[in-house]
Amino acid sequence: MITEKNIKKYASTVLLNTVDELFDNKQELIDNFYKEFIKTNKRNKHLKNNYKDNEVIDELILEELEKSFTQNDIGRVLQSNMVRENDKAIADLANILDEKLRPIAYDLRLLFNDNKKYDEFRKLVTENLVVSNMNLNTSTVKALKTMGMKGIEVAKIIQLITEIDN
């Protein structure tokens, strides 16, 4: 059965935040939107059979939003929410990466010769992990290439990363 609870459970967080933001976080307007959504889609067999599929719910929510807002308004808010969620994911992953690098952090700092280069390395590795969905070794190699590093230091860094990534 299609309920507001199920919609909020299975729709993407980014889209739910977009709905809230488009309605200026006014609960009455948000509640009315979901009531209208349920009323519009109560006979939708595709939704009834796939209400746990976030892509189906998201698509229908977007269609419902287009009745009240322009595509530009929806896109602008959706984009800012996607960027915010991506930044949050990068920050979370950066913390996890720092934990993983802790046993070799001192050695890495020595190989980079300064904290600024080490911080750039951590940032690039984290972005590669999130955006490109790479593993730690591949992210490290790409980060080192981006930084223009060559030589024995690169081999030593990759060796250190390989030790903790196994």
Side-chain angles (χ1 to χ4, degrees), residues 14-51:
V14 171
L15 195 55
L16 294 174
N17 291 338
T18 299
V19 169
D20 292 352
E21 201 170 318
L22 284 168
F23 287 106
D24 297 324
N25 294 306
K26 294 181 179 168
Q27 198 57 50
E28 184 179 340
L29 296 174
I30 295 166
D31 291 343
N32 287 339
F33 170 79
Y34 287 115
K35 285 177 190 168
E36 189 62 33
F37 176 84
I38 292 167
K39 189 171 129 184
T40 301
N41 290 289
K42 67 182 170 190
R43 298 189 202 288
N44 185 327
K45 288 184 182 181
H46 186 60
L47 180 58
K48 282 182 182 179
N49 295 335
N50 297 292
Y51 72 93

Side-chain angles (χ1 to χ4, degrees), residues 2 13 17 38 43 56 58 67 77 91-92 99 104 131 154:
I2 303 163
T13 304
N17 291 338
I38 292 167
R43 298 189 202 288
V56 172
D58 287 357
K67 295 177 183 176
V77 174
D92 291 346
E99 281 296 312
I104 61 169
V131 177
V154 170

Side-chain angles (χ1 to χ4, degrees), residues 125-141:
V125 169
T126 302
E127 287 175 0
N128 289 336
L129 289 168
V130 172
V131 177
S132 302
N133 201 21
M134 298 176 177
N135 64 31
L136 184 56
N137 284 328
T138 308
S139 296
T140 298
V141 170

